[in-house]
Amino acid sequence: AQSVSQHNHHVILSEAASLELGCNYSYGGTVNLFWYVQYPGQHLQLLLKYFSGDPLVKGIKGFEAEFIKSKFSFNLRKPSVQWSDTAEYFCAVNAPRYGNNRLAFGKGNQVVVIP
Amino acid sequence: GAGVSQSPRYKVAKRGQDVALRCDPISGHVSLFWYQQALGQGPEFLTYFQNEAQLDKSGLPSDRFFAERPEGSVSTLKIQRTQQEDSAVYLCASSPPGTSDTDTQYFGPGTRLTVL
């Protein structure tokens, strides 16, 4: 079955540390890839997305993600986190061959940044 | 501009009651999606509209769930005879037509449903 996997559901790190969140998917063919973030008390917001072109995608707030097709991965990175990056992060995949634009989400990574 | 709005933000229902959840998408957005997010999980797809047409309802968990978008803008998700397992956050998302942004979905704040 098609799925999106995120590991290390809970991540705790100190300010200025580097962050990397893994995302793997099992869909074949063309995919569109997204990272969404949900800050405490707020709704899901788009962090960055990949449709085609340069596999290294830069998003808001210093985040970037790299699409590696051979590994079916789309990992999120930030070199130096801030306390305000405390949030839940969701990887999502849209696979057009499976119809419409429905998103399949991973279970999320709860990230806590300690000041 | 205004984002996706949902109401109510919180709903408590007794088991067996019917509930109706409303979504106002971003103006001009053709596509509208409903997702269900259980505690500690990622959102799960429920149903999809393009304008007023419900093109995919394969994610609806049972025939107690019904969604409509009669005029192609506001949508309502109705759950009949609610059960405890229906407790979740219900998210609505919309996406714009005919641009490179078509596949990007913009989410509302969700309705947190608690069934007692």
Side-chain angles (χ1 to χ4, degrees):
Chain A
Q2 293 78 33
S3 65
V4 180
S5 299
Q6 292 180 246
H7 309 292
N8 303 322
H9 185 63
H10 295 279
V11 177
I12 301 174
L13 61 169
S14 300
E15 276 192 318
S18 63
L19 172 68
E20 180 160 0
L21 302 177
C23 174
N24 290 88
Y25 60 92
S26 62
Y27 296 82
T30 302
V31 291
N32 299 319
L33 300 158
F34 305 82
W35 277 95
Y36 281 87
V37 60
Q38 188 166 26
Y39 297 104
Q42 297 187 27
H43 60 278
L44 278 168
Q45 301 172 38
L46 182 68
L47 199 54
L48 49 77
K49 61 186 178 184
Y50 172 80
F51 289 173
S52 63
D54 188 345
L56 185 61
V57 180
K58 303 228 182 264
I60 61 171
K61 304 187 179 185
F63 284 90
E64 64 179 30
E66 185 175 13
F67 169 53
I68 303 179
K69 188 174 181 180
S70 61
K71 295 185 178 181
F72 296 87
S73 70
F74 189 55
N75 294 352
L76 181 71
R77 296 192 291 257
K78 184 169 183 177
S80 176
V81 296
Q82 300 173 312
W83 174 78
S84 57
D85 293 322
T86 293
E88 189 151 21
Y89 294 80
F90 292 94
C91 180
V93 178
N94 158 241
R97 67 180 287 188
Y98 295 104
N100 69 57
N101 292 328
R102 62 195 288 180
L103 290 173
F105 284 85
K107 289 188 176 181
N109 296 105
Q110 183 66 56
V111 174
V112 176
V113 179
I114 301 170
Chain B
V4 178
S5 62
Q6 293 185 246
S7 60
R9 291 292 310 278
Y10 303 91
K11 177 69 179 177
V12 178
K14 292 183 179 178
R15 192 174 59 177
Q17 282 185 330
D18 298 347
V19 298
L21 312 180
R22 176 187 169 107
C23 171
D24 281 87
I26 295 171
S27 178
H29 279 198
V30 169
S31 299
L32 185 147
F33 299 80
W34 284 98
Y35 293 85
Q36 179 191 59
Q37 186 176 16
L39 191 63
Q41 303 294 318
E44 297 269 352
F45 170 80
L46 293 177
T47 187
Y48 159 66
F49 290 86
Q50 187 167 353
N51 295 306
E52 69 278 5
Q54 188 175 19
L55 298 185
D56 186 349
K57 55 182 181 179
S58 63
L60 296 176
S62 78
D63 59 7
R64 296 186 295 103
F65 287 70
F66 171 76
E68 60 183 4
R69 193 185 185 197
E71 297 179 359
S73 55
V74 171
S75 177
T76 304
L77 177 67
K78 297 179 180 177
I79 309 173
Q80 297 177 323
R81 305 181 303 280
T82 53
Q83 304 294 314
Q84 284 188 323
E85 61 264 27
D86 300 335
S87 296
V89 176
Y90 290 85
L91 297 170
C92 178
S94 67
S95 63
T99 68
S100 62
D101 205 27
T102 299
D103 292 322
T104 301
Q105 296 181 27
Y106 297 87
F107 283 81
T111 295
R112 181 177 296 277
L113 173 65
T114 302
V115 181
L116 303 176

